[in-house]
Amino acid sequence: MKNFVQSDLLQSLPKQFFASLVEKVGRVIAQGHDVINLGQGNPDQPTPAHIVEALQKAAANPRYHKYSPFRGYHFLKEAVATFYEREYNVKLDPEKEVAILFGGKAGLVEISQCLVNPGDVVLVPDPGYPDYWSGIALARAKMEMMPLREENNFLPDYNELSPEAIEQAKLMFLNYPNNPTGAVATKQFFAETVSFAAKNDICVVHDFAYGAIGFDGKKPLSFLQIDGAKEVGIEIYTFSKTYNMAGWRVGFAVGNESVIEALNLLQDHLYVSIFGAIQEAAAHALLAPQDCVNELVQLYESRRNVFIRALKDIGWDVTAPAGSFFAWLPVPNGFTSETFSDLLLEKAHVVVAPGIGFGEYGEGYVRAGLLTSEERLQEAANRIAKLNLFHAKV
Ligand SMILES: Cc1ncc(COP(=O)(O)O)c(C=O)c1O
């Protein structure tokens, strides 16, 4: 069979760092070990029943068996506007300031192709979610990393960027609550971001994937709550985490009208919109009582408390995340994030994601997901304790 050569563009895409981790984990499971996998970001709870029922009912409606409107049903965009006004007191024009997406990832990858030309610079948080890199590579643009340092609460410091990078930058990605660090943004930081972006003509894309997941009674801020934010950017939201709908592939972008138009235009060329029944169920998710969301946040918070307490009890000096469903844990002396992750996998059968997979500034940390029961999280800590890497305080 003839082996067709991949295009230069395809070959230039960043390598999937976590593919090798998945392979290593598979090997340990195949040996018959009971592996506790905290390495992934796949929500473990089912979609709330009322949303599934809305889909089941809508799936039988012949209206949805035809092509959906290209840019999505108006009722979903209306529901998004109602949701943003109710949750964040942000007013949106449903037709001009909302774009329906096949999940957050689609919008995050598409946006670079919408706004940047080959050779332009895109500012990217480091550590950060690797899908930003893919879109930038597809647009043949250049990445400029913005270090997220613990001493700065994992917020970028715009004063650290070179004048050349700022001059060439067209786009910037931010993500709070943050994957992988679990940090949240402050109003002051977002306000600084609006001024910086306005001054330097940079479009801000705030990835609000973990928007619903803030702990200790603190609701994470939407970027659009900041004065002037709509002038300089958009926010990307997904149903994957808020409503445990990762498999459904539905999300949306909201904010700056010209950017929303660019996303819609690119999508006109790429797809017809999502199955109408999914859109109806998604609208239902946004408009129905939000008890399921509150319960989910409580579940994650309780798991966080158990896990962080258990790690502190074994002598590991860790900080509790303020949001998201990840804990960002410092690697003990003498290890890299990769050698430490390998050790946990081989000797404790616990999987964590090495920080280096999220960028250079992720080195020195591993990411653990709170996506399993409290018992399993406690068991993971017990197994790690047996490695005698830490000294429990008495
Ligand atoms: C930071 C961040 N952004 C975006 C996404 C994309 O989510 P989805 O494509 O399921 O909407 C994820 C998923 O893991 C994520 O962690």
Side-chain angles (χ1 to χ4, degrees):
M1 197 173 66
K2 187 163 165 45
N3 202 359
F4 291 96
V5 178
Q6 294 176 353
S7 67
D8 294 346
L9 180 60
L10 197 56
Q11 290 188 55
S12 75
L13 298 185
K15 300 285 164 275
Q16 268 285 355
F17 178 86
F18 292 107
S20 70
L21 179 69
V22 171
E23 206 183 290
K24 281 185 211 166
V25 174
R27 232 181 301 127
V28 178
I29 292 174
Q31 288 163 5
H33 296 295
D34 168 31
V35 169
I36 302 178
N37 193 344
L38 310 179
Q40 288 168 340
N42 209 346
D44 61 312
Q45 295 296 300
T47 306
H50 66 283
I51 304 173
V52 176
E53 281 154 20
L55 172 69
Q56 284 167 332
K57 201 155 144 257
N61 185 346
R63 175 191 190 194
Y64 299 136
H65 301 169
K66 305 172 177 211
Y67 289 117
S68 301
F70 266 81
R71 296 184 175 197
Y73 281 98
H74 183 73
F75 65 72
L76 178 53
K77 293 184 250 187
E78 278 279 352
V80 168
T82 303
F83 171 81
Y84 256 70
E85 179 148 25
R86 186 190 71 217
E87 297 292 325
Y88 303 111
N89 205 16
V90 168
K91 285 200 170 41
L92 295 167
D93 177 329
E95 278 308 314
K96 295 190 177 138
E97 295 177 331
V98 180
I100 306 301
L101 305 170
F102 281 81
K105 174 177 171 133
L108 291 164
V109 173
E110 287 159 14
I111 191 70
S112 293
Q113 292 164 85
C114 290
L115 297 183
V116 303
N117 291 312
D120 286 343
V121 165
V122 181
L123 304 174
V124 182
D126 180 355
Y129 180 60
D131 282 348
Y132 311 140
W133 315 341
S134 311
I136 296 166
L138 284 169
R140 300 176 193 246
K142 292 190 292 202
M143 294 203 282
E144 181 75 22
M145 296 310 196
M146 301 189 290
L148 305 186
R149 301 178 199 278
E150 188 158 0
E151 59 267 28
N152 201 29
N153 301 316
F154 299 111
L155 300 169
D157 178 356
Y158 300 129
N159 296 318
E160 258 190 77
L161 296 168
S162 72
E164 301 76 53
I166 295 173
E167 166 72 31
Q168 291 171 33
K170 294 274 173 64
L171 189 65
M172 172 203 293
F173 287 98
L174 291 176
N175 164 225
Y176 294 98
N178 185 257
N179 174 9
T181 67
V184 294
T186 59
K187 200 166 176 191
Q188 187 198 344
F189 167 71
F190 273 161
E192 262 170 44
T193 302
V194 169
S195 323
F196 174 75
K199 180 165 168 234
N200 297 295
D201 267 330
I202 295 170
C203 174
V204 178
V205 176
H206 181 235
D207 176 0
F208 205 29
Y210 299 93
I213 311 172
F215 300 136
D216 308 312
K218 295 193 186 112
K219 188 179 172 77
L221 283 175
S222 158
F223 180 62
L224 297 187
Q225 284 174 289
I226 309 306
D227 286 343
K230 248 195 231 177
E231 295 296 311
V232 298
I234 61 164
E235 187 152 83
I236 293 193
Y237 199 96
T238 172
F239 290 75
S240 298
K241 324 286 172 175
T242 310
Y243 303 105
N244 293 320
M245 289 167 66
W248 296 48
R249 310 314 305 140
V250 54
F252 53 86
V254 285
N256 185 280
E257 189 179 325
S258 64
V259 180
I260 295 299
E261 172 58 26
L263 275 171
N264 275 328
L265 182 59
L266 179 63
Q267 295 197 138
D268 287 347
H269 290 273
L270 293 174
Y271 335 99
V272 179
S273 190
I274 304 167
F275 180 33
I278 290 185
Q279 297 192 45
E280 187 171 314
H284 173 75
L286 297 175
L287 300 177
Q290 302 293 294
D291 305 324
C292 57
V293 182
N294 299 334
E295 284 159 19
L296 186 66
V297 174
Q298 275 169 27
L299 177 85
Y300 289 141
E301 182 162 331
S302 174
R303 287 177 179 178
R304 175 201 69 161
N305 294 345
V306 166
F307 190 50
I308 296 295
R309 166 89 350 247
L311 295 182
K312 285 189 169 164
D313 283 349
I314 68 169
W316 193 348
D317 185 15
V318 296
T319 307
S324 85
F325 47 52
F326 297 113
W328 189 235
L329 310 169
V331 167
N333 285 340
F335 292 95
T336 66
S337 61
E338 224 175 342
T339 59
F340 184 59
S341 303
D342 285 348
L343 178 85
L344 293 191
L345 174 61
E346 298 295 333
K347 299 279 192 264
H349 306 138
V350 171
V351 184
V352 292
I356 189 71
F358 301 95
E360 191 188 327
Y361 288 86
E363 187 49 272
Y365 297 87
V366 292
R367 190 193 74 178
L370 303 168
L371 301 171
T372 187
S373 67
E374 292 178 14
E375 292 71 30
R376 294 289 277 174
L377 290 166
Q378 179 68 55
E379 164 74 11
N382 296 348
R383 291 188 194 176
I384 295 169
K386 293 203 183 106
L387 304 180
N388 286 324
L389 294 163
F390 306 101
H391 301 289
K393 294 181 192 89
V394 270

